[in-house]
Amino acid sequence: MGAGVLRTRPPPGGDPFARLGGVLTCGSHSLEDLANEHATPLYVYDGDRILERLATLRDAFAADGADPGSPGLVVAYSVKANPGLAILKLLARAGAGADIVSGGELHRSLRAGVPAGLIVFAGVGKTRDEMRYGLRSGIRAFHVESAQELDVLGSVAGDLGQVAPIAVRVNPDVDSPTHAFTRTGHARAKFGVSPGRALEMYRFTAEHPFLRAVGVDVHIGSQIRDPVPFVNALDVVLEVAGKVRGDLGIDLEYVDLGGGFGISDGEADELDVRALARAITRRLHGTSLTLVIEPGRFLVGDAGVLVTRVLYVKRSGGKTFVVTDAGMTDLIRPSHYGGIHAVSLVREQDGGPVEAVDVVGPVCEQGDFLARDRHLALPHPGALLCVHQAGAYGFTMSSNYNSRLRPAELLVRGGRVKRVRRRESYSDLIRNEADE
Ligand SMILES: *Cc1c(COP(=O)(O)O)cnc(C)c1O
């Protein structure tokens, strides 16, 4: 690969942002042309890549669909990774369901055409309003995270005269080697309940006229590249499912393994989903349990990039800073989670000799950076940089801090470019404020 490209390994299936004549492209459109037309910072998503990733998961987990012993599969896209309506529609048309964590995500999912029967609702703090909205919409299940929540859900369902389908989110107490903020499956995390508490909650459900147990759920964290913690977590929830059948005589319909399938960030390889799927489906073989998975980042992460223009190159304190027009307000992963994103020049020829640089944004915070201590062909002011693997937890975590305008988003599909969100204007900034 050429100068300025930090990605060491192209993702499997080929790089969706390949170089043509020294310039990065998306679906044969030059990112330079797109940036010139739509201004920077700019998010660009490759819709074909998203569908290819969905197919990869389906192939891996439902490898032998013809075998009557193999489990059914529901891919419930984790909406919070990238909740854009255009992306949700794309996935809904391809038959994906949705894993949601708020009423807002339910609204988006329904609006995008995700069938309610394929929507599962997680989260430790669902409000009564959100429960009512989910019940009225007829979602597949609530993934309940505490005994109090289950009690409240039962009473909300009773008020509506409806039965609430539920799965208990189990905390399997497995360690997952990922950042502390994205590690959710250890005993001291706020998510889920212990297997013992889960059984008590299934017992409560069995005796409640307005609750019905349909599944068991686990989600151990994000950006996990080792199959072992997933398999350990599955073993814990299968044991719970076995006790629910043995003690209460209830056959659950599905087991939900959650999401968190890690992708490559240019430094480490992605999770081997085929190896994971083999281990998982082997354990489910012969049971009547449907498998639900909730991938977010795996589907959209490397299908998106953030394109930004270099404003200045500044040398100070023995360091070289590349100041870009995008910052933590556009992509907060580097400063919030220590997220690593490969950064490369959109046009190879726009750089000088390779140097160690910090790529920093214009926001008035020392923690505002996109990359630190990176070896990059020193870009000329005005050059465009591409920040890779920005399709998940990118735009959706953006903010107006420093009264900055949030960028436009483009979706490229089958060679066609669609602007799926316009860049904000100054009037958008103050739209909801009373000015006297
Ligand atoms: C965030 C989340 C996911 C998706 O995580 P990824 O790392 O994006 O795959 C899945 N399930 C639940 C419950 C989540 O909170």
Side-chain angles (χ1 to χ4, degrees):
M1 286 205 163
V5 181
L6 293 174
R7 194 211 294 274
T8 46
R9 283 167 266 232
D15 193 336
F17 299 92
R19 253 179 222 288
L20 262 176
V23 180
L24 291 175
T25 60
C26 181
S28 81
H29 294 271
S30 119
L31 291 184
E32 193 173 67
D33 291 346
L34 296 179
N36 287 336
E37 184 179 345
H38 296 275
T40 53
L42 177 70
Y43 274 96
V44 182
Y45 308 115
D46 182 335
D48 299 322
R49 174 69 178 171
I50 295 172
L51 295 177
E52 184 186 311
R53 298 289 274 180
L54 179 62
T56 297
L57 286 180
R58 283 189 171 146
D59 288 349
F61 280 92
D64 197 2
D67 176 352
S70 65
L73 178 72
V74 173
V75 180
Y77 169 59
S78 184
V79 173
K80 74 178 190 290
N82 188 327
L85 282 175
I87 284 176
L88 284 175
K89 267 189 197 155
L90 187 68
L91 285 165
R93 279 198 202 115
D99 156 51
I100 61 165
V101 293
S102 70
E105 288 189 352
L106 178 53
H107 179 68
R108 282 179 175 279
S109 301
L110 294 172
R111 178 75 182 255
V114 181
L118 294 181
I119 299 178
V120 291
F121 194 162
V124 294
K126 299 175 200 77
T127 64
R128 285 168 192 266
D129 274 345
E130 288 175 321
M131 291 172 180
R132 271 190 285 271
Y133 187 17
L135 282 165
R136 287 209 181 95
S137 309
I139 63 170
R140 172 106 174 207
F142 293 86
H143 288 172
V144 178
E145 306 224 14
S146 68
Q148 281 189 4
E149 181 196 335
L150 187 62
D151 192 33
V152 170
L153 180 61
S155 83
V156 170
D159 289 346
L160 291 180
Q162 247 180 284
V163 174
I166 69 111
V168 177
R169 176 164 175 183
V170 176
N171 184 322
D173 196 17
V174 298
D175 207 10
S176 40
T178 182
H179 190 274
F181 290 1
T182 56
R183 199 186 302 144
T184 59
H186 58 93
R188 292 197 323 286
K190 73 175 176 180
F191 297 99
V193 299
S194 70
R197 177 59 59 84
L199 278 175
E200 288 167 25
M201 288 165 62
Y202 282 109
R203 192 175 301 280
F204 178 87
T205 300
E207 290 163 1
H208 197 292
F210 295 102
L211 295 172
R212 187 166 72 90
V214 295
V216 62
D217 172 49
V218 68
H219 170 72
I220 57 173
S222 200
Q223 191 59 330
I224 299 165
R225 299 184 175 107
D226 176 4
V228 173
F230 290 105
V231 175
N232 291 342
L234 182 72
D235 285 340
V236 173
V237 292
L238 284 181
E239 203 180 319
V240 171
K243 286 187 179 151
V244 169
R245 185 186 321 108
D247 297 0
L248 305 172
I250 297 171
D251 269 316
L252 298 178
E253 293 162 15
Y254 72 83
V255 52
D256 186 327
L257 186 63
F261 308 155
I263 66 169
S264 172
D265 57 13
E267 294 199 337
D269 282 333
E270 71 175 24
L271 171 73
D272 181 347
V273 288
R274 291 200 166 272
L276 173 67
R278 271 194 300 274
I280 299 296
T281 48
R282 196 182 309 130
R283 281 167 167 75
L284 294 177
H285 197 91
T287 72
S288 59
L289 290 163
T290 294
L291 175 65
V292 181
I293 54 174
E294 303 173 345
R297 189 193 315 272
F298 191 88
L299 293 179
V300 294
D302 74 13
V305 293
L306 173 63
V307 182
T308 177
R309 201 174 285 283
V310 174
L311 298 173
Y312 308 106
V313 175
K314 169 174 175 173
R315 293 181 197 274
S316 109
K319 295 191 60 127
T320 302
F321 296 98
V322 173
V323 183
T324 57
D325 65 2
M328 66 188 292
T329 50
D330 309 291
L331 180 66
I332 203 174
R333 293 193 68 258
S335 31
H336 184 54
Y337 306 118
I340 296 178
H341 293 265
V343 177
S344 57
L345 282 159
V346 167
R347 174 180 288 277
E348 232 164 17
Q349 300 90 316
D350 280 353
V354 172
E355 275 192 45
V357 303
D358 281 11
V359 181
V360 302
V363 177
C364 294
E365 292 287 342
Q366 186 56 26
D368 175 30
F369 59 87
L370 297 175
R372 284 201 289 199
D373 292 322
R374 290 295 180 81
H375 290 270
L376 192 64
L378 193 67
H380 311 308
L384 292 166
L385 293 181
C386 178
V387 183
H388 295 263
Q389 297 102 25
Y393 308 103
F395 182 90
T396 185
M397 294 179 98
S398 65
S399 79
N400 292 122
Y401 182 47
N402 277 208
S403 290
R404 286 169 50 78
L405 306 176
R406 287 189 294 176
E409 296 177 284
L410 307 181
L411 179 64
V412 181
R413 257 237 62 210
R416 284 192 47 237
V417 179
K418 187 166 181 202
R419 191 186 67 179
V420 293
R421 185 181 186 109
R422 66 166 174 78
R423 184 176 145 81
E424 285 178 342
S425 64
Y426 289 140
S427 53
D428 289 327
L429 276 183
I430 53 175
R431 163 156 309 154
N432 297 322
E433 291 178 49
D435 63 357
E436 53 191 308

